[in-house]
Amino acid sequence: MESLLAKGFRLTPRLRTLSRVCATAAVVAAAIIVLGVPQHVASDDGSTLTVTPSYAGEGDTVTVTVVDAARGVTNLQADEEIDFTDNSYLLPPGDPGTQEVFRVRNSPVGDSNGDKQVTAADIALSISEASVSWVNPATGVFSVSRTTGNSSALPFKVTYRSEQVDTAVVDVSSTADPEGFQLTLEETSHTSNQFEATFRMGEETSDLNASNPEGAARPVIEALDEGVVTVEYADTTPENLLTDAVLVDDVSPIVIVQTPGHESFTRNVTEWAVVEVTDRGAGVELSDILFHVDVDGDGVFDEAGETVPASAADSQEINNGWLAVVLLPRIPEQGPVNWYVTAEDRAGNVGRSDAEDEDGLQNHMYVLDTTPPAPVEVAMGDSYDPKEEEEEEEEEEEEGEELGNQQNRIKVEFSEPIDPDSISASKFVFGNTPAIEAVSYEEIPEVVWLTYHDLPTVAEDMYILAGAVIDRSGFASELLRITPVDKLGPIMDVTVDKAVTAKLITVTARSDEHLAGPPSVSVNGVTQAKLVQEDIRTWSIVLDASAFSGSAAGDGVKNVELTGFDLRGNVARGGVSVESPDYPEQAVRFQLDRVIKSPSVLPTHHETTLVASPRIIASYATEADEYPGDTHDSVTVIGARLNGQDITAELEATTPTSWSYQAPVLEKGSHTFTIQARDSAGNVHPVTTVVFQVGVDPPTPTPAPTLEPTPTPVPTIEPGTGGPSDPGPTATAVPNPGPTETPDETDPEPTPTPGVDDEDPTPVPTPGVDNEDFIDIEATVQAIRAEEERLRQEAEDDPPFVAAEPAFTVYGCGFPASEGGSAGSDYVLAGMGMLGLAVLARRRRSP
């Protein structure tokens, strides 16, 4: 390969790729041998190739530097006539040995004779009368000394080699893109022999400005994490291939804190910290592992002494990293201490410790504690609801909430978090009563929630005995007496004097402690008035419920709430609101009922009944369900009269709102029934008057028809054998004027009766009445009256009900019955025949 380069040949793409792969393998091997750091390569003649940094990640800029003295190229400036000032070279007259100073047009001056230095010998003049005595290569200024004098000006020419800004070319490739591109380097100065250019690491190769070292946008080589980017330079003097590489590392070091644990507690003002730092790529120097501690607690880490490196004496190297140890700075005051650790790998990637699995990076924190726990607040009436819920088979904890004015509860907040397993409920003594329960919750570990039996609402001294709690650093609480803050509202017992009223209601409140003033009463959320004090802890007021307004107006269920304040400003409440989970069980309620509705009466007004002894029914059924929640539907009868006679005592109550009265036999004609009642709220309905008609005469006793029985012959049975050959007993018929029954197994044909059709007997005709329409009215009426009596007896046992339907029909016209009827009530259906009135049937209502 060296011989090919010496002859000026370039490698084919295939051979170039093969050579780069071999070179890459060699670079990686060298990086592993020497602590993972790539080594820059030098040629035998002193030429070097340097790529910096040795580790880089995506987006980083890489600088390539080649130093090669042989790459310096000079241009021959032969017989230059015009100097730097654009004037011709002209030696003015002068004596021998005198000097004149000139400046070449193209500086700097280069090495013309090959002695690797620039001297006066590298500039030649076209005249013999003078020679170059010295030269400044950088500026191109030279001095001419006369060897002989000249009396006239002598023009001359200058021959020299001038230096220029040269270029060099390197090949850039990567394991992700073996083909890569050629990168042109530019000499840093005319004579520096040092050539530089940059490229970037990226996701995709781009050769933009690869041949223009001064282009602002730099070319990009595709570089993947844990890959290698290779740079090659072909040195021709002597022939040599220089190779350098960059290890690709896009991953930051991993920093894991081992101690002190996050949110841990310590008694030590200085604490040892141990972290594990690993990096699978470029690796980390121990000096690049830094501990940042907020010593003064101001939330920033920029003060002197708040950033310290790992201790070289106490740390140890582990696989791919370090177990870094340091004694953290001294903390002047107890309380929480925030800190974190950073580690930067050789590729410039920075890793940082993270205390919690949340978005972003969280500081670590430990608590310096040098004193026992002490209560900072003790409050009566405070409680806590953790609000734990399970949804979609996963347990989710919602943020809990503090509850105020909770009976038998006390909150004790300490100056620091408490070990929940150390809490002793019996060591919290309020008055002479120890707590029966003591609980602490993870979200507020500095608070202990206490529960007592029969806790008074007035504050008394509390004793917190020694060792009641232990803090997280191991300090036990000391004996302390403290008076809790009274946040517990008084207990008010609220009563009303009536469950239902039509107008006035008396509300009474009794408190278990003194109030700062009279409590106010609200009904259905509307404040009505303040109560009037009766004695030191009792208040009452009479309200006119019929005058309520807003949401309290109108008939219905009313919810009573009382609000007051004790001498410490705590709210005293009586009753519960409708939004409370204890509503309506713990509510104080009454019902406003200002109306009693008219009753329904049977028989109805102007009704004609064909029953001489009707059952009278009065129902106030509409008194029920007058408003939502109506539970007071009973009615009391004040008085009832039938035809002026007081029958109140004879009414039978069938329901709380219905009464029944079985009237005696009434004369045919008009009858008057009156009734007056009062409901549970005290509303009195005016007298209700019903005038009804009895449309039949009082029944008169009618003797039942006598029917002569037909004698039945009694057979006489004589003794016999009963066998087939024995004729058996002989039946002897007793003489009887009626028909004779034949003792045969089959009935004989009936003996026809003269004048009577067997199929359709013809009734006896009555003069003036058509035989086809003839009905024995007298017998039918008597049968109906007997049935009336039987049905009346049954009706007394059947419960009444209210329904409206016709009482009877004449030729299809309905005569109204009362608005309601009762099971067992009877109605007469009458029909008109062609020649007279006949009672056709009776209809009985079904229950």
Side-chain angles (χ1 to χ4, degrees):
M1 183 169 62
E2 292 180 359
S3 63
L4 291 174
L5 293 175
K7 295 179 180 181
F9 287 101
R10 298 291 297 172
L11 295 175
T12 65
R14 181 178 180 84
L15 293 175
R16 251 182 79 207
T17 300
L18 180 61
S19 68
R20 286 173 180 166
V21 171
C22 296
T24 299
V27 170
V28 173
I32 295 175
I33 293 173
V34 190
L35 297 178
V37 180
Q39 302 298 299
H40 307 306
V41 181
S43 180
D44 292 341
D45 66 346
S47 299
T48 61
L49 170 64
T50 304
V51 179
T52 55
S54 298
Y55 304 91
E58 182 180 333
D60 291 346
T61 298
V62 177
T63 300
V64 180
T65 303
V66 170
V67 177
D68 186 357
R71 291 296 300 178
V73 179
T74 59
N75 291 331
L76 178 63
Q77 307 294 335
D79 295 330
E80 185 177 80
E81 298 180 356
I82 305 300
D83 66 7
F84 178 77
T85 62
D86 290 332
N87 294 312
S88 299
Y89 291 109
L90 188 64
L91 181 67
D95 296 330
T98 58
Q99 296 187 5
E100 300 293 338
V101 177
F102 299 91
R103 183 177 179 181
V104 297
R105 185 172 185 80
N106 297 290
S107 60
V109 178
D111 179 17
S112 298
N113 58 12
D115 61 359
K116 299 186 182 301
Q117 56 183 343
V118 178
T119 63
D122 291 312
I123 299 179
L125 303 180
S126 62
I127 60 174
S128 60
E129 288 84 2
S131 62
V132 178
S133 58
W134 57 267
V135 62
N136 185 327
T139 61
V141 176
F142 63 94
S143 176
V144 175
S145 177
R146 295 178 178 83
T147 56
T148 61
N150 61 311
S151 58
S152 61
L154 294 174
F156 64 92
K157 300 176 182 178
V158 180
T159 298
Y160 64 96
R161 282 189 172 275
S162 63
E163 293 282 359
Q164 67 177 11
V165 176
D166 299 311
T167 60
V169 177
V170 298
D171 292 322
V172 180
S173 62
S174 69
T175 51
D177 182 8
E179 189 64 27
F181 54 82
Q182 286 190 324
L183 179 67
T184 299
L185 313 183
E186 186 177 63
E187 193 174 12
T188 58
S189 68
H190 291 79
T191 58
S192 67
N193 297 326
Q194 178 173 316
F195 305 85
E196 288 186 355
T198 62
F199 65 89
R200 291 189 307 109
M201 316 278 273
E203 294 182 350
E204 186 177 355
T205 298
S206 170
D207 60 358
L208 177 66
N209 287 330
S211 60
N212 180 15
E214 296 181 354
R218 304 310 303 148
V220 178
I221 187 68
E222 181 181 356
L224 301 180
D225 184 41
E226 297 185 317
V228 178
V229 175
T230 304
V231 179
E232 299 174 349
Y233 173 64
D235 186 7
T236 58
T237 54
E239 294 86 350
N240 194 14
L241 182 65
L242 301 182
T243 303
D244 202 356
V246 180
L247 297 183
V248 183
D249 183 3
D250 278 328
V251 179
S252 300
I254 299 174
V255 182
I256 301 175
V257 173
Q258 294 188 350
T259 186
H262 183 51
E263 296 182 344
S264 62
F265 291 78
T266 180
R267 300 185 185 188
N268 303 318
V269 294
T270 57
E271 185 74 6
W272 284 96
V274 179
V275 298
E276 180 183 290
V277 178
T278 55
D279 187 82
R280 60 176 174 77
V284 179
E285 299 289 348
L286 182 62
S287 59
D288 290 328
I289 301 175
L290 301 177
F291 294 77
H292 309 265
V293 185
D294 186 12
V295 176
D296 56 5
D298 64 351
V300 294
F301 302 80
D302 57 353
E303 288 83 0
E306 290 192 333
T307 300
V308 292
S311 170
D314 299 303
S315 303
Q316 68 182 61
E317 192 171 2
I318 60 175
N319 187 29
N320 294 327
W322 295 90
L323 193 65
V325 181
V326 73
L327 185 64
L328 298 178
R330 185 181 187 279
I331 305 301
E333 296 182 2
Q334 69 174 6
V337 180
N338 290 293
W339 67 292
Y340 66 94
V341 182
T342 59
E344 182 177 0
D345 65 13
R346 296 185 181 97
N349 303 303
V350 178
R352 186 187 189 278
S353 63
D354 187 10
E356 299 177 2
D357 294 333
E358 297 179 0
D359 293 340
L361 297 172
Q362 312 297 323
N363 292 335
H364 290 264
M365 185 271 290
Y366 68 90
V367 179
L368 174 61
D369 180 13
T370 59
T371 59
V376 295
E377 181 186 13
V378 180
M380 297 171 55
D382 281 354
S383 181
Y384 186 75
D385 179 10
K387 286 202 168 180
E388 295 183 1
E389 294 186 356
E390 186 172 322
E391 296 181 0
E392 297 181 357
E393 299 180 357
E394 293 184 2
E395 185 172 316
E396 298 181 0
E397 289 189 5
E398 293 187 359
E399 185 178 352
E401 63 175 341
E402 290 195 27
L403 306 177
N405 201 29
Q406 301 295 301
Q407 300 296 326
N408 303 333
R409 299 296 180 90
I410 292 181
K411 167 189 173 183
V412 181
E413 181 178 354
F414 286 90
S415 56
E416 56 187 293
I418 301 301
D419 179 2
D421 296 331
S422 72
I423 303 172
S424 175
S426 62
K427 292 186 177 181
F428 292 89
V429 182
F430 183 82
N432 295 319
T433 305
I436 60 173
E437 184 182 32
V439 180
S440 180
Y441 295 99
E442 182 179 357
E443 55 266 34
I444 40 176
E446 67 277 4
V447 178
V448 176
W449 307 92
L450 304 173
T451 302
Y452 290 84
H453 284 307
D454 302 325
L455 185 70
T457 61
V458 180
E460 299 180 8
D461 285 344
M462 168 183 276
Y463 289 88
I464 301 178
L465 305 183
V469 296
I470 299 175
D471 65 19
R472 300 285 180 86
S473 60
F475 284 109
S477 61
E478 300 174 343
L479 174 64
L480 180 69
R481 184 180 73 178
I482 190 171
T483 301
V485 176
D486 184 1
K487 292 186 178 181
L488 188 59
I491 301 173
M492 283 200 298
D493 179 37
V494 181
T495 59
V496 291
D497 65 333
K498 303 182 188 73
V500 59
T501 183
K503 186 175 179 64
L504 301 180
I505 189 79
T506 300
V507 180
T508 302
R510 294 175 179 83
S511 172
D512 68 338
E513 63 175 287
H514 299 306
L515 299 184
S520 59
V521 60
S522 64
V523 177
N524 284 12
V526 179
T527 301
Q528 303 298 329
K530 287 186 176 295
L531 277 67
V532 178
Q533 189 166 13
E534 293 184 358
D535 58 40
I536 192 169
R537 294 183 180 178
T538 305
W539 296 263
S540 67
I541 192 171
V542 177
L543 300 175
D544 182 358
S546 65
F548 289 162
S549 61
S551 60
D555 290 2
V557 179
K558 310 299 179 183
N559 185 44
V560 180
E561 296 179 77
L562 266 66
T563 306
F565 297 91
D566 65 9
L567 300 178
R568 295 165 187 81
N570 299 307
V571 177
R573 297 188 184 277
V576 296
S577 67
V578 293
E579 293 84 8
S580 170
D582 295 328
Y583 182 88
E585 288 79 7
Q586 303 297 325
V588 178
R589 305 194 303 175
F590 70 90
Q591 297 178 23
L592 175 62
D593 182 355
R594 297 171 295 174
V595 178
I596 178 173
K597 296 182 180 179
S598 300
S600 60
V601 180
L602 292 177
T604 60
H605 197 52
H606 298 315
E607 179 184 351
T608 298
T609 176
L610 298 182
V611 179
S613 177
R615 179 174 291 276
I616 301 176
I617 299 172
S619 174
Y620 291 83
T622 54
E623 181 65 18
D625 299 325
E626 292 181 294
Y627 44 83
D630 184 4
T631 58
H632 299 280
D633 58 355
S634 61
V635 175
T636 302
V637 174
I638 299 175
R641 293 178 178 274
L642 179 59
N643 297 329
Q645 181 180 354
D646 189 351
I647 61 171
T648 306
E650 300 177 53
L651 295 180
E652 298 177 16
T654 56
T655 70
T657 58
S658 299
W659 285 265
S660 175
Y661 172 70
Q662 180 62 57
V665 175
L666 302 177
E667 296 293 332
K668 182 178 181 181
S670 177
H671 299 272
T672 302
F673 172 74
T674 61
I675 189 169
Q676 186 176 27
R678 178 179 59 247
D679 65 10
S680 301
N683 299 297
V684 177
H685 193 277
V687 174
T688 299
T689 301
V690 174
V691 179
F692 62 92
Q693 303 291 323
V694 173
V696 295
D697 291 324
T700 57
T702 302
T706 302
L707 301 177
E708 291 292 337
T710 302
T712 302
V714 179
T716 302
I717 302 174
E718 295 293 334
T721 62
S725 61
D726 189 353
T730 301
T732 304
V734 178
N736 189 349
T740 303
E741 181 176 328
T742 303
D744 194 11
E745 292 183 2
T746 58
D747 293 335
E749 291 294 329
T751 303
T753 303
V756 179
D757 190 342
D758 295 335
E759 299 278 332
D760 186 11
T762 303
V764 178
T766 302
V769 178
D770 190 339
N771 291 337
E772 291 185 359
D773 297 329
F774 173 78
I775 296 177
D776 189 349
I777 296 177
E778 180 176 356
T780 303
V781 169
Q782 292 300 325
I784 289 175
R785 288 178 176 174
E787 179 67 5
E788 176 72 24
E789 180 60 22
R790 185 183 68 79
L791 295 178
R792 186 183 67 79
Q793 294 298 327
E794 290 182 0
E796 292 180 354
D797 299 328
D798 293 337
F801 75 104
V802 177
E805 64 178 41
F808 59 89
T809 303
V810 177
Y811 279 114
C813 299
F815 284 72
S818 59
E819 293 180 359
S822 61
S825 296
D826 299 318
Y827 300 91
V828 175
L829 300 181
M832 182 68 68
M834 293 180 61
L835 301 177
L837 176 66
V839 177
L840 300 180
R842 295 177 59 81
R843 181 183 178 189
R844 183 179 184 189
R845 297 176 56 84
S846 299

